[in-house]
Amino acid sequence: MHPTERLKGIATFVAVAEAGSFTAAAQRLNLTNSAVGKAIARLEERLGSRLFERSTRRLRLTDAGHAYRQVCVQVLEDLEAAERVLASDDAVPSGRLRVDLPATFGRLRAWPALLQFAGTHPQVMPHVSFTDRFVDLVEDGVDVAVRIGGADNEVWPAALDHRTLGYEELIFCAAPAYLDIHGAPASGADLLDHAAVLYGRADGSTAPWLLRAESASVVRQPMTGRAVLGNAEALVGAVEAGLGVAQLATWLVARQIAEGRLVALLPQLTTQGLPLHIVWQRSRSHAPKVQALIAHLAATLHIGA
C-alpha cells in the first residue's frame, strides 16, 4: 500500500471519535452523513477491523478503535506542527502551549519563570497544569513538562526527549523555637534522637531520611514521625511551627532560612536529592514555542538554594 493511502480517512475517523456521532462529525467537517459513513466503512475495510460499536442509542470506539485513535491523533498533530514550522508567520513563538508542572516546585519556582516567558512572548498562550501525578505527555497532549525525580539511567520513552538541569540538595532544618527547647543536634547520631517531621507517600509509607556516613555513602534511615504530611508546603509549615526536624530540599526552604524562620542543621550531612528534568515531546521539539520555552527554563530554573 502506498504511504499516502494510509492517511485517507483518518481525519474523518478522529472527528467521529471526538464528536461521538456521524451527524456531529459531518457538521464539523462540512460533509454529509453519508460521506462520513462511507469514509469510516472504507477505513474499517482497509484495516480489516471494526473501529466503532454501533447501536441505535450511541456510537462508541472498540478496543481497536481506541488504539488506532491514539496513533491517528499523534499523526495529525505531527503534520500540523510541521505545517506551522513551514509557515512564515511561525518564525516567532506563538500559539497554545500546554505545560505541566509539579505542584509545589511549579508554584514556587517554575511558575514565576513561566510568567516571565509569557511576558516576553505575547503570542504564546500558556495552558498550565500543576500536579504531582505522573503525566503521560503524549496521551495528555502536553508539550513541555517539568519533572522532579527519575534516575540518570532511566530509560525514557522514544516519543520523549529531556534535559537534566541539576539535583536537589537536601538539608536538615528546624525552627529556632524547637532548638531553644531541645537543643541543636551535634552529629548524625544525635540527630536520630530528635522528633522527626516526615513526608508521607500516597501508599501510606514515609520517606526515610538520607544520612551521609563517614565513608561518604548515603544510608536510608527509616524514622518514626512526630508528624507525617503528604504535602511539601505543609511539611515546611509543621517544621516552622516547632514540631521537629525535617530533611528538606534547599529550593523549598531557602526563603525561610534566609528570613530566620528555620535554621539549617549539620551542613556536613547535606545530601543529593532528586534530579530536575525538562521533558518534551520529541515530535514537537521543532516548534519555536517549544524551543523557546526549553531554552528559557534551562536558563532560569535552579533546584539548589
Side-chain angles (χ1 to χ4, degrees):
M1 181 185 297
H2 193 276
T4 57
E5 289 294 315
R6 294 189 172 90
L7 296 176
K8 288 185 177 179
I10 67 171
T12 303
F13 163 67
V14 171
V16 173
E18 291 178 348
S21 74
F22 286 172
T23 300
Q27 292 174 347
R28 180 183 299 181
L29 298 171
N30 198 26
L31 298 172
T32 64
N33 286 9
S34 175
V36 171
K38 288 179 180 178
I40 297 301
R42 286 193 297 267
L43 183 59
E44 289 181 324
E45 182 180 1
R46 191 176 84 233
L47 296 174
S49 181
R50 292 185 66 82
L51 300 174
F52 293 100
E53 293 287 353
R54 299 165 175 82
S55 71
T56 57
R57 303 182 68 178
R58 65 179 187 175
L59 188 73
R60 61 182 182 181
L61 288 166
T62 62
D63 290 343
H66 277 293
Y68 191 61
R69 176 185 177 277
Q70 183 174 345
V71 175
C72 289
V73 167
Q74 185 62 57
V75 168
L76 293 174
E77 287 180 350
D78 290 348
L79 287 172
E80 182 183 359
E83 290 172 0
R84 285 198 304 267
V85 170
L86 293 175
S88 59
D89 61 351
D90 203 26
V92 297
S94 63
R96 182 175 179 270
L97 183 59
R98 179 80 170 81
V99 183
D100 185 75
L101 304 174
T104 301
F105 183 83
R107 191 182 70 80
L108 296 180
R109 292 299 180 95
W111 178 234
L114 266 175
L115 283 175
Q116 184 184 43
F117 175 82
T120 306
H121 302 284
Q123 296 184 50
V124 174
M125 296 171 288
H127 183 149
V128 185
S129 56
F130 295 80
T131 177
D132 285 328
R133 71 175 178 86
F134 176 83
V135 172
D136 186 319
L137 274 69
V138 176
E139 180 70 21
D140 294 340
V142 173
D143 295 299
V144 180
V146 174
R147 286 183 179 169
I148 295 181
D152 279 344
N153 59 358
E154 178 182 350
V155 178
W156 292 82
L160 302 181
D161 207 346
H162 74 284
R163 182 169 177 177
T164 303
L165 299 186
Y167 290 80
E168 292 179 321
E169 285 188 345
L170 302 179
I171 60 170
F172 290 100
C173 56
Y178 173 87
L179 297 175
D180 287 343
I181 297 172
H182 301 280
S187 66
D190 192 14
L191 184 69
L192 301 181
D193 294 329
H194 282 262
V197 180
L198 304 176
Y199 179 78
R201 303 188 183 100
D203 62 4
S205 64
T206 57
W209 279 356
L210 302 181
L211 296 177
R212 185 172 299 281
E214 292 182 3
S215 62
S217 61
V218 174
V219 177
R220 299 172 67 86
Q221 177 65 51
M223 297 292 294
T224 300
R226 163 71 173 82
V228 178
L229 301 107
N231 175 272
E233 290 176 279
L235 198 65
V236 174
V239 179
E240 282 192 80
L243 268 63
V245 177
Q247 186 176 41
L248 299 169
T250 53
W251 64 261
L252 183 61
V253 293
R255 181 166 57 88
Q256 288 84 349
I257 290 174
E259 294 174 356
R261 289 184 282 146
L262 290 178
V263 177
L265 306 172
L266 302 171
Q268 70 273 22
L269 296 185
T270 299
T271 57
Q272 179 175 284
L274 298 173
L276 173 68
H277 304 294
I278 305 173
V279 188
W280 61 92
Q281 290 197 48
R282 192 181 298 273
S283 64
R284 302 183 184 183
S285 60
H286 49 264
K289 62 185 179 182
V290 172
Q291 293 178 343
L293 180 59
I294 293 169
H296 179 74
L297 293 178
T300 56
L301 281 189
H302 304 284
I303 202 166

